[in-house]
PDB file of all heavy atoms in Angstrom:
ATOM      1  N   ASP A   1       3.013  57.146 -60.247  1.00 96.00           N
ATOM      2  CA  ASP A   1       3.198  58.516 -60.733  1.00 96.00           C
ATOM      3  C   ASP A   1       2.041  59.425 -60.323  1.00 96.00           C
ATOM      4  O   ASP A   1       2.251  60.578 -59.964  1.00 96.00           O
ATOM      5  CB  ASP A   1       3.386  58.531 -62.249  1.00 96.00           C
ATOM      6  CG  ASP A   1       4.059  59.806 -62.726  1.00 96.00           C
ATOM      7  OD1 ASP A   1       5.204  60.064 -62.309  1.00 96.00           O
ATOM      8  OD2 ASP A   1       3.427  60.554 -63.492  1.00 96.00           O
ATOM      9  N   GLU A   2       0.831  58.895 -60.342  1.00 97.00           N
ATOM     10  CA  GLU A   2      -0.331  59.678 -59.890  1.00 97.00           C
ATOM     11  C   GLU A   2      -0.185  60.067 -58.425  1.00 97.00           C
ATOM     12  O   GLU A   2      -0.461  61.205 -58.039  1.00 97.00           O
ATOM     13  CB  GLU A   2      -1.621  58.871 -60.072  1.00 97.00           C
ATOM     14  CG  GLU A   2      -2.064  58.736 -61.498  1.00 97.00           C
ATOM     15  CD  GLU A   2      -3.211  57.742 -61.653  1.00 97.00           C
ATOM     16  OE1 GLU A   2      -3.839  57.365 -60.628  1.00 97.00           O
ATOM     17  OE2 GLU A   2      -3.479  57.333 -62.795  1.00 97.00           O
ATOM     18  N   LYS A   3       0.257  59.123 -57.597  1.00 97.00           N
ATOM     19  CA  LYS A   3       0.448  59.390 -56.166  1.00 97.00           C
ATOM     20  C   LYS A   3       1.557  60.425 -55.952  1.00 97.00           C
ATOM     21  O   LYS A   3       1.441  61.308 -55.107  1.00 97.00           O
ATOM     22  CB  LYS A   3       0.793  58.110 -55.407  1.00 97.00           C
ATOM     23  CG  LYS A   3      -0.328  57.113 -55.340  1.00 97.00           C
ATOM     24  CD  LYS A   3      -1.346  57.533 -54.314  1.00 97.00           C
ATOM     25  CE  LYS A   3      -2.379  56.455 -54.088  1.00 97.00           C
ATOM     26  NZ  LYS A   3      -3.414  56.878 -53.175  1.00 97.00           N
ATOM     27  N   LEU A   4       2.633  60.322 -56.727  1.00 98.00           N
ATOM     28  CA  LEU A   4       3.721  61.294 -56.613  1.00 98.00           C
ATOM     29  C   LEU A   4       3.254  62.692 -57.012  1.00 98.00           C
ATOM     30  O   LEU A   4       3.686  63.688 -56.444  1.00 98.00           O
ATOM     31  CB  LEU A   4       4.917  60.875 -57.468  1.00 98.00           C
ATOM     32  CG  LEU A   4       5.813  59.797 -56.870  1.00 98.00           C
ATOM     33  CD1 LEU A   4       6.724  59.202 -57.939  1.00 98.00           C
ATOM     34  CD2 LEU A   4       6.629  60.350 -55.716  1.00 98.00           C
ATOM     35  N   CYS A   5       2.365  62.771 -57.987  1.00 98.00           N
ATOM     36  CA  CYS A   5       1.859  64.069 -58.450  1.00 98.00           C
ATOM     37  C   CYS A   5       0.967  64.758 -57.425  1.00 98.00           C
ATOM     38  O   CYS A   5       0.612  65.926 -57.594  1.00 98.00           O
ATOM     39  CB  CYS A   5       1.138  63.920 -59.786  1.00 98.00           C
ATOM     40  SG  CYS A   5       2.286  63.763 -61.181  1.00 98.00           S
ATOM     41  N   ALA A   6       0.626  64.067 -56.336  1.00 96.00           N
ATOM     42  CA  ALA A   6      -0.083  64.725 -55.230  1.00 96.00           C
ATOM     43  C   ALA A   6       0.823  65.764 -54.577  1.00 96.00           C
ATOM     44  O   ALA A   6       0.351  66.698 -53.931  1.00 96.00           O
ATOM     45  CB  ALA A   6      -0.541  63.697 -54.198  1.00 96.00           C
ATOM     46  N   ASN A   7       2.131  65.611 -54.766  1.00 97.00           N
ATOM     47  CA  ASN A   7       3.098  66.608 -54.323  1.00 97.00           C
ATOM     48  C   ASN A   7       3.156  67.674 -55.432  1.00 97.00           C
ATOM     49  O   ASN A   7       3.566  67.394 -56.565  1.00 97.00           O
ATOM     50  CB  ASN A   7       4.469  65.953 -54.129  1.00 97.00           C
ATOM     51  CG  ASN A   7       5.564  66.931 -53.799  1.00 97.00           C
ATOM     52  OD1 ASN A   7       5.719  67.962 -54.442  1.00 97.00           O
ATOM     53  ND2 ASN A   7       6.348  66.603 -52.804  1.00 97.00           N
ATOM     54  N   LEU A   8       2.731  68.882 -55.120  1.00 96.00           N
ATOM     55  CA  LEU A   8       2.637  69.941 -56.138  1.00 96.00           C
ATOM     56  C   LEU A   8       3.973  70.238 -56.803  1.00 96.00           C
ATOM     57  O   LEU A   8       4.021  70.526 -57.997  1.00 96.00           O
ATOM     58  CB  LEU A   8       2.074  71.213 -55.504  1.00 96.00           C
ATOM     59  CG  LEU A   8       0.656  71.097 -54.950  1.00 96.00           C
ATOM     60  CD1 LEU A   8       0.251  72.388 -54.250  1.00 96.00           C
ATOM     61  CD2 LEU A   8      -0.321  70.767 -56.058  1.00 96.00           C
ATOM     62  N   HIS A   9       5.051  70.170 -56.038  1.00 97.00           N
ATOM     63  CA  HIS A   9       6.375  70.459 -56.607  1.00 97.00           C
ATOM     64  C   HIS A   9       6.791  69.369 -57.591  1.00 97.00           C
ATOM     65  O   HIS A   9       7.345  69.667 -58.656  1.00 97.00           O
ATOM     66  CB  HIS A   9       7.406  70.600 -55.488  1.00 97.00           C
ATOM     67  CG  HIS A   9       7.088  71.682 -54.515  1.00 97.00           C
ATOM     68  ND1 HIS A   9       7.168  73.019 -54.834  1.00 97.00           N
ATOM     69  CD2 HIS A   9       6.663  71.629 -53.233  1.00 97.00           C
ATOM     70  CE1 HIS A   9       6.813  73.740 -53.789  1.00 97.00           C
ATOM     71  NE2 HIS A   9       6.494  72.925 -52.797  1.00 97.00           N
ATOM     72  N   TYR A  10       6.517  68.121 -57.243  1.00 98.00           N
ATOM     73  CA  TYR A  10       6.806  67.015 -58.156  1.00 98.00           C
ATOM     74  C   TYR A  10       5.959  67.161 -59.423  1.00 98.00           C
ATOM     75  O   TYR A  10       6.467  67.024 -60.540  1.00 98.00           O
ATOM     76  CB  TYR A  10       6.533  65.668 -57.481  1.00 98.00           C
ATOM     77  CG  TYR A  10       6.734  64.489 -58.401  1.00 98.00           C
ATOM     78  CD1 TYR A  10       7.983  63.895 -58.537  1.00 98.00           C
ATOM     79  CD2 TYR A  10       5.682  63.980 -59.164  1.00 98.00           C
ATOM     80  CE1 TYR A  10       8.179  62.822 -59.393  1.00 98.00           C
ATOM     81  CE2 TYR A  10       5.867  62.909 -60.024  1.00 98.00           C
ATOM     82  CZ  TYR A  10       7.116  62.343 -60.131  1.00 98.00           C
ATOM     83  OH  TYR A  10       7.305  61.284 -60.996  1.00 98.00           O
ATOM     84  N   ALA A  11       4.683  67.443 -59.245  1.00 98.00           N
ATOM     85  CA  ALA A  11       3.770  67.597 -60.390  1.00 98.00           C
ATOM     86  C   ALA A  11       4.250  68.710 -61.324  1.00 98.00           C
ATOM     87  O   ALA A  11       4.192  68.570 -62.548  1.00 98.00           O
ATOM     88  CB  ALA A  11       2.355  67.880 -59.898  1.00 98.00           C
ATOM     89  N   GLN A  12       4.748  69.793 -60.748  1.00 98.00           N
ATOM     90  CA  GLN A  12       5.268  70.901 -61.559  1.00 98.00           C
ATOM     91  C   GLN A  12       6.495  70.460 -62.359  1.00 98.00           C
ATOM     92  O   GLN A  12       6.621  70.793 -63.545  1.00 98.00           O
ATOM     93  CB  GLN A  12       5.610  72.100 -60.656  1.00 98.00           C
ATOM     94  CG  GLN A  12       6.178  73.294 -61.389  1.00 98.00           C
ATOM     95  CD  GLN A  12       5.165  74.007 -62.265  1.00 98.00           C
ATOM     96  OE1 GLN A  12       3.981  73.694 -62.272  1.00 98.00           O
ATOM     97  NE2 GLN A  12       5.614  74.977 -63.000  1.00 98.00           N
ATOM     98  N   CYS A  13       7.381  69.701 -61.743  1.00 97.00           N
ATOM     99  CA  CYS A  13       8.562  69.194 -62.457  1.00 97.00           C
ATOM    100  C   CYS A  13       8.156  68.265 -63.598  1.00 97.00           C
ATOM    101  O   CYS A  13       8.783  68.274 -64.655  1.00 97.00           O
ATOM    102  CB  CYS A  13       9.496  68.466 -61.484  1.00 97.00           C
ATOM    103  SG  CYS A  13      10.353  69.570 -60.351  1.00 97.00           S
ATOM    104  N   ARG A  14       7.101  67.479 -63.387  1.00 97.00           N
ATOM    105  CA  ARG A  14       6.602  66.614 -64.457  1.00 97.00           C
ATOM    106  C   ARG A  14       6.014  67.447 -65.593  1.00 97.00           C
ATOM    107  O   ARG A  14       6.291  67.194 -66.764  1.00 97.00           O
ATOM    108  CB  ARG A  14       5.523  65.657 -63.906  1.00 97.00           C
ATOM    109  CG  ARG A  14       6.058  64.592 -62.992  1.00 97.00           C
ATOM    110  CD  ARG A  14       6.656  63.392 -63.711  1.00 97.00           C
ATOM    111  NE  ARG A  14       5.591  62.639 -64.359  1.00 97.00           N
ATOM    112  CZ  ARG A  14       5.495  62.450 -65.674  1.00 97.00           C
ATOM    113  NH1 ARG A  14       6.395  62.931 -66.490  1.00 97.00           N
ATOM    114  NH2 ARG A  14       4.495  61.765 -66.184  1.00 97.00           N
ATOM    115  N   ARG A  15       5.222  68.481 -65.254  1.00 97.00           N
ATOM    116  CA  ARG A  15       4.617  69.343 -66.283  1.00 97.00           C
ATOM    117  C   ARG A  15       5.679  70.067 -67.103  1.00 97.00           C
ATOM    118  O   ARG A  15       5.524  70.258 -68.306  1.00 97.00           O
ATOM    119  CB  ARG A  15       3.682  70.372 -65.644  1.00 97.00           C
ATOM    120  CG  ARG A  15       2.284  69.863 -65.382  1.00 97.00           C
ATOM    121  CD  ARG A  15       1.305  70.977 -65.040  1.00 97.00           C
ATOM    122  NE  ARG A  15       1.660  71.679 -63.820  1.00 97.00           N
ATOM    123  CZ  ARG A  15       1.362  71.273 -62.586  1.00 97.00           C
ATOM    124  NH1 ARG A  15       0.709  70.147 -62.418  1.00 97.00           N
ATOM    125  NH2 ARG A  15       1.714  71.982 -61.537  1.00 97.00           N
ATOM    126  N   LEU A  16       6.762  70.472 -66.446  1.00 97.00           N
ATOM    127  CA  LEU A  16       7.834  71.193 -67.133  1.00 97.00           C
ATOM    128  C   LEU A  16       8.772  70.267 -67.904  1.00 97.00           C
ATOM    129  O   LEU A  16       9.659  70.731 -68.611  1.00 97.00           O
ATOM    130  CB  LEU A  16       8.652  72.008 -66.116  1.00 97.00           C
ATOM    131  CG  LEU A  16       7.915  73.155 -65.432  1.00 97.00           C
ATOM    132  CD1 LEU A  16       8.779  73.762 -64.332  1.00 97.00           C
ATOM    133  CD2 LEU A  16       7.528  74.216 -66.453  1.00 97.00           C
ATOM    134  N   GLY A  17       8.583  68.963 -67.763  1.00 96.00           N
ATOM    135  CA  GLY A  17       9.434  68.003 -68.468  1.00 96.00           C
ATOM    136  C   GLY A  17      10.783  67.798 -67.805  1.00 96.00           C
ATOM    137  O   GLY A  17      11.685  67.206 -68.405  1.00 96.00           O
ATOM    138  N   GLN A  18      10.950  68.254 -66.567  1.00 96.00           N
ATOM    139  CA  GLN A  18      12.212  68.063 -65.863  1.00 96.00           C
ATOM    140  C   GLN A  18      12.365  66.634 -65.366  1.00 96.00           C
ATOM    141  O   GLN A  18      13.480  66.145 -65.210  1.00 96.00           O
ATOM    142  CB  GLN A  18      12.310  69.033 -64.677  1.00 96.00           C
ATOM    143  CG  GLN A  18      12.360  70.480 -65.105  1.00 96.00           C
ATOM    144  CD  GLN A  18      12.183  71.432 -63.942  1.00 96.00           C
ATOM    145  OE1 GLN A  18      11.319  71.246 -63.087  1.00 96.00           O
ATOM    146  NE2 GLN A  18      13.005  72.464 -63.917  1.00 96.00           N
ATOM    147  N   LEU A  19      11.243  65.986 -65.106  1.00 97.00           N
ATOM    148  CA  LEU A  19      11.238  64.591 -64.680  1.00 97.00           C
ATOM    149  C   LEU A  19      10.302  63.790 -65.581  1.00 97.00           C
ATOM    150  O   LEU A  19       9.233  64.265 -65.952  1.00 97.00           O
ATOM    151  CB  LEU A  19      10.745  64.468 -63.226  1.00 97.00           C
ATOM    152  CG  LEU A  19      11.677  64.973 -62.138  1.00 97.00           C
ATOM    153  CD1 LEU A  19      10.954  65.015 -60.798  1.00 97.00           C
ATOM    154  CD2 LEU A  19      12.921  64.099 -62.041  1.00 97.00           C
ATOM    155  N   LYS A  20      10.732  62.582 -65.932  1.00 96.00           N
ATOM    156  CA  LYS A  20       9.885  61.659 -66.678  1.00 96.00           C
ATOM    157  C   LYS A  20       8.962  60.934 -65.706  1.00 96.00           C
ATOM    158  O   LYS A  20       9.156  60.975 -64.488  1.00 96.00           O
ATOM    159  CB  LYS A  20      10.745  60.627 -67.412  1.00 96.00           C
ATOM    160  CG  LYS A  20      11.644  61.211 -68.478  1.00 96.00           C
ATOM    161  CD  LYS A  20      12.477  60.098 -69.074  1.00 96.00           C
ATOM    162  CE  LYS A  20      13.513  60.637 -70.040  1.00 96.00           C
ATOM    163  NZ  LYS A  20      14.415  59.565 -70.526  1.00 96.00           N
ATOM    164  N   LYS A  21       8.002  60.238 -66.266  1.00 96.00           N
ATOM    165  CA  LYS A  21       7.058  59.456 -65.469  1.00 96.00           C
ATOM    166  C   LYS A  21       7.812  58.445 -64.600  1.00 96.00           C
ATOM    167  O   LYS A  21       8.769  57.796 -65.057  1.00 96.00           O
ATOM    168  CB  LYS A  21       6.102  58.724 -66.408  1.00 96.00           C
ATOM    169  CG  LYS A  21       5.088  57.874 -65.732  1.00 96.00           C
ATOM    170  CD  LYS A  21       4.191  57.249 -66.795  1.00 96.00           C
ATOM    171  CE  LYS A  21       3.637  55.948 -66.310  1.00 96.00           C
ATOM    172  NZ  LYS A  21       2.887  55.278 -67.354  1.00 96.00           N
ATOM    173  N   ALA A  22       7.371  58.306 -63.354  1.00 96.00           N
ATOM    174  CA  ALA A  22       7.982  57.350 -62.429  1.00 96.00           C
ATOM    175  C   ALA A  22       7.775  55.924 -62.932  1.00 96.00           C
ATOM    176  O   ALA A  22       6.827  55.639 -63.663  1.00 96.00           O
ATOM    177  CB  ALA A  22       7.378  57.513 -61.037  1.00 96.00           C
ATOM    178  N   ARG A  23       8.669  55.043 -62.511  1.00 95.00           N
ATOM    179  CA  ARG A  23       8.539  53.652 -62.912  1.00 95.00           C
ATOM    180  C   ARG A  23       8.833  52.727 -61.740  1.00 95.00           C
ATOM    181  O   ARG A  23       9.254  53.174 -60.673  1.00 95.00           O
ATOM    182  CB  ARG A  23       9.439  53.342 -64.106  1.00 95.00           C
ATOM    183  CG  ARG A  23      10.896  53.660 -63.908  1.00 95.00           C
ATOM    184  CD  ARG A  23      11.624  53.528 -65.224  1.00 95.00           C
ATOM    185  NE  ARG A  23      13.032  53.886 -65.077  1.00 95.00           N
ATOM    186  CZ  ARG A  23      13.922  53.702 -66.023  1.00 95.00           C
ATOM    187  NH1 ARG A  23      13.569  53.177 -67.164  1.00 95.00           N
ATOM    188  NH2 ARG A  23      15.166  54.053 -65.835  1.00 95.00           N
ATOM    189  N   VAL A  24       8.620  51.449 -61.974  1.00 97.00           N
ATOM    190  CA  VAL A  24       8.797  50.438 -60.934  1.00 97.00           C
ATOM    191  C   VAL A  24       9.833  49.428 -61.416  1.00 97.00           C
ATOM    192  O   VAL A  24       9.804  49.002 -62.565  1.00 97.00           O
ATOM    193  CB  VAL A  24       7.462  49.724 -60.614  1.00 97.00           C
ATOM    194  CG1 VAL A  24       7.662  48.600 -59.610  1.00 97.00           C
ATOM    195  CG2 VAL A  24       6.437  50.729 -60.106  1.00 97.00           C
ATOM    196  N   PHE A  25      10.736  49.069 -60.513  1.00 97.00           N
ATOM    197  CA  PHE A  25      11.761  48.059 -60.775  1.00 97.00           C
ATOM    198  C   PHE A  25      11.492  46.895 -59.846  1.00 97.00           C
ATOM    199  O   PHE A  25      11.503  47.054 -58.627  1.00 97.00           O
ATOM    200  CB  PHE A  25      13.152  48.648 -60.500  1.00 97.00           C
ATOM    201  CG  PHE A  25      14.307  47.756 -60.854  1.00 97.00           C
ATOM    202  CD1 PHE A  25      14.944  47.888 -62.074  1.00 97.00           C
ATOM    203  CD2 PHE A  25      14.781  46.807 -59.954  1.00 97.00           C
ATOM    204  CE1 PHE A  25      16.037  47.088 -62.399  1.00 97.00           C
ATOM    205  CE2 PHE A  25      15.866  46.005 -60.267  1.00 97.00           C
ATOM    206  CZ  PHE A  25      16.497  46.138 -61.491  1.00 97.00           C
ATOM    207  N   GLN A  26      11.192  45.727 -60.413  1.00 96.00           N
ATOM    208  CA  GLN A  26      10.936  44.561 -59.568  1.00 96.00           C
ATOM    209  C   GLN A  26      12.242  43.822 -59.330  1.00 96.00           C
ATOM    210  O   GLN A  26      12.875  43.315 -60.255  1.00 96.00           O
ATOM    211  CB  GLN A  26       9.899  43.617 -60.182  1.00 96.00           C
ATOM    212  CG  GLN A  26       9.581  42.475 -59.230  1.00 96.00           C
ATOM    213  CD  GLN A  26       8.355  41.681 -59.616  1.00 96.00           C
ATOM    214  OE1 GLN A  26       7.788  41.861 -60.684  1.00 96.00           O
ATOM    215  NE2 GLN A  26       7.952  40.789 -58.724  1.00 96.00           N
ATOM    216  N   ILE A  27      12.626  43.773 -58.061  1.00 97.00           N
ATOM    217  CA  ILE A  27      13.847  43.086 -57.641  1.00 97.00           C
ATOM    218  C   ILE A  27      13.525  41.604 -57.509  1.00 97.00           C
ATOM    219  O   ILE A  27      12.533  41.231 -56.884  1.00 97.00           O
ATOM    220  CB  ILE A  27      14.353  43.662 -56.301  1.00 97.00           C
ATOM    221  CG1 ILE A  27      14.586  45.171 -56.431  1.00 97.00           C
ATOM    222  CG2 ILE A  27      15.620  42.949 -55.859  1.00 97.00           C
ATOM    223  CD1 ILE A  27      14.787  45.890 -55.107  1.00 97.00           C
ATOM    224  N   ARG A  28      14.357  40.776 -58.080  1.00 94.00           N
ATOM    225  CA  ARG A  28      14.091  39.337 -58.095  1.00 94.00           C
ATOM    226  C   ARG A  28      14.557  38.631 -56.822  1.00 94.00           C
ATOM    227  O   ARG A  28      13.956  37.664 -56.401  1.00 94.00           O
ATOM    228  CB  ARG A  28      14.746  38.677 -59.309  1.00 94.00           C
ATOM    229  CG  ARG A  28      14.147  39.128 -60.605  1.00 94.00           C
ATOM    230  CD  ARG A  28      12.764  38.546 -60.768  1.00 94.00           C
ATOM    231  NE  ARG A  28      12.121  39.129 -61.935  1.00 94.00           N
ATOM    232  CZ  ARG A  28      10.837  39.329 -62.040  1.00 94.00           C
ATOM    233  NH1 ARG A  28      10.025  39.002 -61.082  1.00 94.00           N
ATOM    234  NH2 ARG A  28      10.340  39.872 -63.115  1.00 94.00           N
ATOM    235  N   GLN A  29      15.656  39.096 -56.218  1.00 89.00           N
ATOM    236  CA  GLN A  29      16.149  38.406 -55.026  1.00 89.00           C
ATOM    237  C   GLN A  29      17.155  39.255 -54.263  1.00 89.00           C
ATOM    238  O   GLN A  29      17.797  40.126 -54.825  1.00 89.00           O
ATOM    239  CB  GLN A  29      16.790  37.067 -55.392  1.00 89.00           C
ATOM    240  CG  GLN A  29      18.024  37.206 -56.280  1.00 89.00           C
ATOM    241  CD  GLN A  29      18.592  35.863 -56.680  1.00 89.00           C
ATOM    242  OE1 GLN A  29      17.951  34.841 -56.509  1.00 89.00           O
ATOM    243  NE2 GLN A  29      19.794  35.856 -57.204  1.00 89.00           N
ATOM    244  N   SER A  30      17.232  38.996 -52.972  1.00 94.00           N
ATOM    245  CA  SER A  30      18.272  39.522 -52.078  1.00 94.00           C
ATOM    246  C   SER A  30      18.392  41.038 -52.050  1.00 94.00           C
ATOM    247  O   SER A  30      19.491  41.580 -51.997  1.00 94.00           O
ATOM    248  CB  SER A  30      19.627  38.916 -52.437  1.00 94.00           C
ATOM    249  OG  SER A  30      19.559  37.520 -52.477  1.00 94.00           O
TER     250      SER A  30
END
């Protein structure tokens, strides 16, 4: 999320509450 916030437009959407904090999904296989 910190890396994504380097994009000013993304950071603005986060500040405005339009987007929640980014997350990670670990894929187990295939």
Side-chain angles (χ1 to χ4, degrees):
D1 200 61
E2 287 171 14
K3 292 283 188 184
L4 281 165
C5 283
N7 174 312
L8 297 175
H9 301 290
Y10 177 88
Q12 179 70 6
C13 288
R14 290 278 291 118
R15 276 193 297 277
L16 294 173
Q18 295 169 316
L19 289 170
K20 296 177 186 175
K21 179 178 152 186
R23 56 189 178 171
V24 176
F25 186 96
Q26 184 167 8
I27 303 167
R28 294 288 172 212
Q29 63 183 13
S30 307

